[in-house]
Amino acid sequence: MPVRSLPPPTKRRKTAVESTSVKSLEDQLTSAVTENGSLNPLADLLILAYGSSDAREMSKAVYSVYRVFVLIISRGMLVHGGDDAARLVRKWIWEKLDSYVELLVGLLQDEEPALRKSSLEILFSLLKHLSTSLTKSSSTAQPQLHLAHFKQIVHGLLLCPPSHRSNRGSKHSSKTMLDVRENFVEVWFSVYDDVRWCFLREATTVLSKYSSTKYPHLLDNLLSIMEKLSTFPTDPSELNSWWVEELGVKPPKHKSAKGDAEEDDAAESVDENDEDDWRKFFDEDPNVKDAKKSGVKARAYTLTFHQSLYSLQAHRAVFTRTWLNFLPQLSSISTSSNRALTTRALNIMHRGVLPHLTRPVLVMDWISACVDLGETVGLLALNALFTLMQDYNLDYPSFFTRLYAFLHRDVLHLKHRARFFRLTELFLSSTHLPATLLASFVKRLSRLSLNAPPAAIIMVVPFTYNILKRHPALMVMIHNNSGTDTDPFIADEPNPNSTNALDSSLWELHSHIHHYDSAVSTMARIFSEAFTKPGYSMEDFLDHTYGTLIETEVRRKIKKEPALAMELRKDLFPLADAANTEDGLAGKDAVSELWVFG
């Protein structure tokens, strides 16, 4: 492409920028691109964009620059080729485009919501245009996604550089704006398969290159996006949505692992400049029996970029790599914020993470370490371990011993006790558990109920009833008369199989029939009746608090009016006899004087 002039240094044009309007500069650039003229006004337009302090003026300048760059990209002015002058111009345009993208990435943190939203939309629109241009100019004849531009978007979402409009003296927060994050997840991350795959891959690189100490909100930003992902594909047919339209053309089928070596080398060369070898990381063990079966597909690392986007295993691989890099960083720094992030990660682990990992047992060590943290974190970690045991055949013999350790004196007083009962009922739901094990749990909860608030006792009673109903072998504990004066239950035994609980009785629950709260005393009487009632639904009892108990008593209808005095006495405290007082002062009872009415 012939070039009429090269842009002079920017410093010589700063003085004339203020007198030029955004509209006139855009018109000049539109004519210049169409007629192959000078692109000098592009630098002036960027200066106006960077110098705008007003949100409305900034928006006008940003959209003007966007329209100019779309025109430049569509005209092929960024495509490789041409003489030395053309390469200099192309290099200069790329510098201006990088400067513009940097401005947009910063605006994702701007205080003006409209600028944040428009900046994200422009960034992804540019991604589509740049990817289309790259595909057309590619010598491999394969659809491409402009990864360099996409990396800038990911850095803006995770590292959150400050806006150029922000106050220099104000403290910048590196946490992603809520509306930006939700907009990205709802419009792109949860919808388009190419965006999700590339984001997960680049997020792994960001985690390995940038420290969470320098960027304290990096982990929070990533988790806030990952925990919203509810549309991860589970079947290859679900890989059918593409932000870059050229990627919607299905790639040719890949060769098998035993195919031509030259074909494999060509596939590897597509990503030879990548810093992470994510595909080889998840290569299965060749000794696994499944690998010996006929018809096994080629390994993921033989796929090209385009083929990887159509491979469900490749999507699961980048998903797994991201989580395996993310989870250890939560435990590297023991802070309250990281503990909160660990709780959030465990909260979605069993339903949103484990089903999509290439090998779910890879996170077993991290989950086991979380069990030691106790409280809500430990309980959620047990839930994830239980999922690994139930669905993925994980062998964890000490599971119920670890669960039994959670039955301490504070468990019925903490705010997460409802979650504890909900999960414990799930863990003990199997009818194949030994009676000695279940007896220990029932007995320990009965003992803890002696010092528990009424709302917690209301949970313990139906929970115990359901276990006894499901396991008739425990019925002996209701009225077990062992003939000894001491309770054989060993309260401080950590092993639930060695507590002698089955030889004990549930006298603690029987004592609650004399509880001051009528709801508790009524519930406790069910153990004195025949077990003909069906099992209780625990969800009906998990929301009880002191507030609900008081509200129930206030709304209770009084069937019989209490006895009241018919006449109000004026002297509630009769005067003391003067003969019996030491000072001989009669009628000087101060208490009586305070309680005289009328």
Side-chain angles (χ1 to χ4, degrees), residues 200-225:
L200 293 174
R201 186 183 180 189
E202 180 58 26
T204 304
T205 304
V206 171
L207 286 174
S208 60
K209 291 180 61 176
Y210 298 93
S211 171
S212 58
T213 304
K214 184 177 180 181
Y215 297 93
H217 292 289
L218 171 59
L219 302 179
D220 189 6
N221 293 335
L222 180 57
L223 181 59
S224 299
I225 294 174

Side-chain angles (χ1 to χ4, degrees), residues 47-299:
I47 293 175
L48 282 178
Y50 269 92
S52 300
S53 58
D54 181 70
R56 181 173 298 180
E57 295 299 324
M58 170 70 78
S59 180
K60 291 180 181 180
V62 164
Y63 273 105
S64 294
V65 179
Y66 163 70
R67 289 188 289 267
V68 171
F69 272 118
V70 168
L71 186 59
I72 291 175
I73 296 171
S74 61
R75 299 274 297 184
M77 300 179 67
L78 296 179
V79 177
H80 294 287
D83 54 13
D84 294 340
R87 285 194 291 269
L88 287 175
V89 172
R90 185 169 56 251
K91 179 181 178 182
W92 180 83
I93 296 176
W94 273 114
E95 291 176 355
K96 300 308 174 185
L97 179 58
D98 292 340
S99 178
Y100 176 58
V101 171
E102 181 182 354
L103 173 65
L104 293 175
V105 169
L107 290 179
L108 295 178
Q109 291 294 103
D110 196 85
E111 59 185 10
E112 178 60 40
L115 281 177
R116 297 196 297 264
K117 184 175 183 295
S118 60
S119 297
L120 186 62
E121 293 174 348
I122 291 175
L123 283 170
F124 272 96
S125 179
L126 287 174
L127 174 65
K128 179 178 291 188
H129 289 289
L130 288 170
S131 300
T132 300
S133 176
L134 182 62
T135 300
K136 292 180 179 179
S137 62
S138 175
S139 59
T140 60
Q142 293 184 359
Q144 302 289 330
L145 187 141
H146 203 283
L147 295 176
H149 179 78
F150 189 78
K151 288 181 179 180
Q152 296 299 320
I153 300 177
V154 176
H155 287 194
L157 293 170
L158 299 182
L159 304 180
C160 304
S163 171
H164 291 275
R165 267 190 357 112
S166 61
N167 187 1
R168 299 292 182 181
S170 61
K171 186 177 180 180
H172 166 65
S173 174
S174 60
K175 187 174 182 178
T176 311
M177 293 292 185
L178 178 61
D179 57 338
V180 174
R181 184 170 63 240
E182 291 182 348
N183 192 23
F184 167 70
V185 172
E186 294 175 3
V187 179
W188 290 282
F189 187 64
S190 296
V191 177
Y192 298 103
D193 298 310
D194 50 348
V195 173
R196 181 183 59 253
W197 189 92
C198 293
F199 176 84
L200 293 174
R201 186 183 180 189
E202 180 58 26
T204 304
T205 304
V206 171
L207 286 174
S208 60
K209 291 180 61 176
Y210 298 93
S211 171
S212 58
T213 304
K214 184 177 180 181
Y215 297 93
H217 292 289
L218 171 59
L219 302 179
D220 189 6
N221 293 335
L222 180 57
L223 181 59
S224 299
I225 294 174
M226 298 283 286
E227 66 185 356
K228 297 292 184 180
L229 180 60
S230 58
T231 58
F232 196 87
T234 57
D235 189 83
S237 61
E238 298 176 2
L239 300 173
N240 52 18
S241 182
W242 314 101
W243 176 246
V244 179
E245 297 177 357
E246 288 77 9
L247 294 174
V249 180
K250 287 189 176 181
K253 293 185 178 180
H254 55 271
K255 300 271 186 177
S256 63
K258 298 180 180 179
D260 187 15
E262 295 181 358
E263 187 70 23
D264 292 343
D265 294 340
E268 290 288 347
S269 65
V270 174
D271 295 318
E272 62 183 358
N273 295 325
D274 293 340
E275 299 175 3
D276 60 304
D277 193 8
W278 63 269
R279 291 167 293 192
K280 292 182 179 179
F281 184 84
F282 294 100
D283 188 15
E284 294 286 349
D285 188 352
N287 297 323
V288 177
K289 295 181 179 180
D290 294 341
K292 298 180 181 180
K293 296 181 180 179
S294 61
V296 176
K297 296 182 179 180
R299 301 179 206 169

